[in-house]
Every structure is written in structure tokens, then in C-alpha cells.
Amino acid sequence: MEEIIIKEVLTRKDLRDFIYIPAKVHRNEPDWLPPIYPDEWKLYNKNKNSAFKYTDAILYLAYRGKKPVGRIMGIINKRYNSIKEEKHGRFCFMECFEDREVVHALLSVVEKWAKENGMTKIVGPLGFSDKDPQGFQIEGFEYPQFITSPTNSPYLPRMMEWEGYIKEVDLVNYIIKMPKELPLIYSKVYVRTAKTDEFRIIEFQSKKEIEPYIVPVLELMNETFSEIYGFVPLNEKEKKDLAKRYLPILDPELIKVVASREEYIGFVVGMPDISAGIRAANGKFFPLGIFKILKEMKKSKKLMLLLGGIKKDYRGQGIDVMMAVKMYESALRRKMETIDSHLILETNSRMRAECERLDGQVVKRFRIYQKSLPDL
């Protein structure tokens, strides 16, 4: 067997190899979910992804002979490390064929890079922030893959352990069958909260109506997500970039915002599961991919809960119930059959309790790993 060569990604051809390696690795898996390729080209572009301004990052490819057989990205998130007073490097976007030697070579080169830059620990898979796919899936491979989650093969977690990595934190994914009616407690809390004039819920019918709220909601996300593992606050440019990126596929009816008399205090963002559309489009928008994705958006019977938060001072006052009831009503009108919780930290007892109150079942588990880096 030819020896492994590790090469830094420096040219556009290198980057193309980096972006398309996953399609080669998973080519015999008909249910594999490709990324949205236009987003991939922006994600790794230092001129288009402002996260590069506060991170040190490096991309590597592994080759056997002339054939690319694996990839990995190393990140040092200086903003996050400063906030948390840590010296942690990250690895992310790792993909390779089932080859232990390639896994070892990829992890070793990123570990060495992180140590040379003064890091004492490496964690991952973890990207620029928690908005990137995080962790390796370790359970639930029999269930369909979904957008924004890892799509790794089952052998990678096993190989991580062989390389000395241990658990940092797990995330879980719930599936909830759409209830015929919400638990009685929801109705009682909703009626009590809605009777007051202290809070009002804002709903939308068009993307034009959403636009003035996007940046305020992202500001609210910065505040409410501050305690979440891996979250990095967005700056002004990042808020606008994120808004521009997701506006084309946002569904106005599945966005809810709650305001008090003075300010916005809560939000939840859902969307139909568009995985089948992305698969049909092979991850490409053009020339016809976007129409396939939008078609699936209208047909989908699964509601994906992407983001949500409530200001700390307003928690426990029924705001979550107000949003849940309105989201449920919207999903019911769309004849949706299941709710997907997206990824929830295993330690988020409040959110997990709400999923379980609705008889939600954990169907997938994802793991972020860690490894201490000895001094050079």
C-alpha cells in the first residue's frame, strides 16, 4: 500500500478535493446527505467567512499516492478561548475512508499544529461555532440524516478512541410524533400568559415581514446562547451574513418572536426538513437544485426546530409555552407528522424535559471528543 502524504490545502484544486472528499467516502451510501456545496465554498473562503478574522485555521488533505483519501481542519478560536480563558484547539470537518493509518495521520498533524500554537488541549469535531456540524454521530445510524448535523460513518468514533480521545460532551436528537393535542398544562399556561398585556407573540406570513427582525433576533441569540458549549457571539457582519445565508430557505410561518413592552425577549426558528430535496439536488443550487429543495420544503411532514432562546430574566414565565403553542398550530396547519429537536446538549435538562413531556424519544447521539496535548 502506498504511503500516506499529508498536504496543506493551498490551491483552488486542493480546496475542491477537500470539499468533495465526503462524496467519495460515502458514494456507496444511498441515504448519505450531501452538504449544500455553495455554502461549502463560502465556509472555507477567508474572504467570505468572517470567522477567519478571529480564528487561526488550517486545512489538510491526506493522500495515498495521488488519490485524496481524507481531510481535516484545525481551528484555534481566539475569541472563544479568550472568553472562556482556555487554550483549546479544535479539529473539524474530518472525513476519510475506513483506514486507521489515515485517521492517525490526520489527527496527528492537527495535534502538532495546535501544540505549536500554544494549545494544551484539542476538542472536536467542533467548527468555528456551534452553528457548524459538531460531534461525531455515535448512535442512531438507522435513522435518516438531517441538515446541519454530522454525517459520519460508524467507524470514525471507534478510531477516535484508538487515538486516545475521550468524551468531552454529548448531544442528543429527539423525534417527537406530532401530538393530536398538547398536554393540558400547555393550554393552562398559554391562556394565563396570553391574558396579560405584558407579552405579545409576533408571527409572520412573508419573508419581507421577517427581514426587520433577523438582526434583533440574532442579537437575542448572542445573549441567550452565551452559556451554550461552543457558542461564539456573532459580530455585526456575521449577523448580516447569517441572515443572508438562511433567508432564502426560511419559512415565515415557522418563526415566532415574543416581545415585552420594551424589548424582544424570546424566539424560536423552525423549518421543514429539506433533506430529501438536498439529496435530490445533490447539494447544488444550480441550475435546478434550488427548485427541488423548495419543492421538498412544501411537501415535508417533519418540522425541524433549529434555534430558540429566552432572555434569562423572563424564563419560567410561560414564554416557551406561548411559542410552543403557536409553533404547534402552524405545524398542524401544514399537516406535519413529526418534530425533530435538532441537537440538544445532554446537560440541557430544561429542553430535554420539554421533549420528554411530549413523549419525545432520543434517536441519535453525537459526541465531541477531547485529548490533552503534552508540552513540546
Side-chain angles (χ1 to χ4, degrees):
M1 190 177 287
E2 295 175 285
E3 86 173 290
I4 299 165
I5 298 170
I6 300 295
K7 177 181 176 182
E8 183 181 349
V9 171
L10 297 173
T11 69
R12 184 172 176 83
K13 181 190 177 302
D14 293 341
L15 184 56
R16 175 173 287 279
D17 285 344
F18 188 94
I19 288 172
Y20 284 97
I21 278 180
K24 294 181 173 67
V25 170
H26 300 283
R27 66 178 178 269
N28 295 321
E29 301 171 24
D31 295 328
W32 178 68
L33 183 64
I36 296 176
Y37 287 112
D39 283 351
E40 292 287 281
W41 283 101
K42 292 174 185 173
L43 176 67
Y44 302 114
N45 188 324
K46 294 182 179 181
N47 297 319
K48 294 185 178 179
N49 183 352
S50 57
F52 281 95
K53 289 183 171 60
Y54 57 84
T55 59
D56 293 330
I58 194 163
L59 284 75
Y60 290 109
L61 285 163
Y63 291 85
R64 280 199 184 274
K66 295 182 179 180
K67 179 185 176 184
V69 293
R71 73 176 196 181
I72 197 167
M73 184 177 191
I75 290 177
I76 296 171
N77 192 316
K78 293 179 285 189
R79 185 191 294 177
Y80 186 84
N81 280 351
S82 176
I83 292 170
K84 299 293 183 179
E85 298 182 343
E86 297 174 346
K87 291 184 177 181
H88 293 181
R90 303 177 177 191
F91 74 90
C92 54
F93 307 118
M94 181 179 173
E95 280 278 10
C96 68
F97 293 94
E98 190 171 1
D99 187 328
R100 187 172 175 180
E101 290 183 356
V102 173
V103 170
H104 176 74
L106 288 169
L107 290 170
S108 295
V109 72
V110 170
E111 290 167 17
K112 182 174 184 290
W113 173 80
K115 281 193 290 187
E116 288 173 348
N117 282 276
M119 299 299 105
T120 59
K121 180 177 173 179
I122 189 162
V123 298
L126 188 61
F128 293 104
S129 81
D130 68 322
K131 298 295 160 290
D132 297 316
Q134 52 186 328
F136 279 142
Q137 184 176 343
I138 59 172
E139 294 175 7
F141 289 95
E142 68 271 30
Y143 294 96
Q145 296 172 346
F146 57 89
I147 188 173
T148 72
S149 78
T151 57
N152 59 280
S153 299
Y155 55 78
L156 272 176
R158 183 172 66 252
M159 292 185 177
M160 293 299 301
E161 293 172 8
W162 289 342
E163 291 299 315
Y165 282 79
I166 60 174
K167 173 183 172 181
E168 169 85 346
V169 66
D170 280 2
L171 303 101
V172 293
N173 170 228
Y174 284 87
I175 289 291
I176 304 164
K177 289 184 178 178
M178 186 68 70
K180 293 182 180 178
E181 56 183 36
L182 289 172
L184 184 59
I185 186 66
Y186 277 69
S187 302
K188 288 181 176 179
V189 172
Y190 179 79
V191 168
R192 185 180 71 239
T193 307
K195 272 184 179 178
T196 73
D197 61 355
E198 189 174 352
F199 309 122
R200 62 188 176 93
I201 191 153
I202 303 165
E203 297 187 271
F204 308 94
Q205 297 299 319
S206 70
K207 290 179 182 177
K208 187 175 181 181
E209 291 176 5
I210 297 171
E211 287 183 23
Y213 291 88
I214 291 178
V215 171
V217 162
L218 292 175
E219 289 171 355
L220 186 54
M221 183 182 76
N222 269 355
E223 182 176 344
T224 58
F225 280 33
S226 60
E227 299 167 359
I228 291 178
Y229 180 85
F231 177 72
V232 182
L234 303 177
N235 60 31
E236 292 306 311
K237 185 176 187 309
E238 288 169 317
K239 291 174 196 169
K240 291 175 182 175
D241 288 347
L242 195 64
K244 186 177 178 182
R245 178 181 174 187
Y246 281 104
L247 187 60
I249 58 172
L250 286 178
D251 189 317
E253 294 180 30
L254 300 177
I255 299 172
K256 315 295 175 186
V257 176
V258 176
S260 69
R261 294 171 186 171
E262 297 87 19
E263 58 184 344
Y264 301 120
I265 59 172
F267 72 99
V268 62
V269 178
M271 69 178 292
D273 180 15
I274 59 173
S275 301
I278 295 171
R279 202 174 281 112
N282 198 26
K284 298 173 182 176
F285 279 163
F286 305 105
L288 300 175
I290 188 65
F291 299 108
K292 293 178 181 179
I293 292 170
L294 292 174
K295 180 182 178 182
E296 183 60 32
M297 199 170 179
K298 293 177 182 177
K299 289 170 49 183
S300 178
K301 299 299 180 186
K302 181 190 286 186
L303 170 64
M304 306 282 299
L305 297 178
L306 296 183
L307 298 170
I310 300 169
K311 277 198 171 188
K312 206 166 189 176
D313 292 346
Y314 293 91
R315 292 171 192 170
Q317 298 185 45
I319 307 304
D320 52 346
V321 173
M322 287 182 75
M323 295 189 294
V325 168
K326 289 299 182 181
M327 184 67 82
Y328 171 74
E329 290 174 353
S330 295
L332 214 56
R333 284 194 296 272
R334 303 279 285 273
K335 299 181 180 179
M336 290 186 163
E337 298 171 356
T338 55
I339 303 169
D340 191 308
S341 73
H342 194 41
L343 301 188
I344 301 173
L345 279 167
E346 63 178 350
T347 54
N348 188 340
S349 55
R350 182 189 294 267
M351 188 66 191
R352 295 191 69 179
E354 290 303 319
C355 291
E356 288 162 15
R357 192 198 296 270
L358 295 170
D359 295 324
Q361 301 295 316
V362 173
V363 295
K364 291 176 181 282
R365 184 176 291 270
F366 301 81
R367 178 159 295 170
I368 296 173
Y369 292 85
Q370 60 148 310
K371 184 178 181 180
S372 294
L373 298 175
D375 295 335
L376 287 171

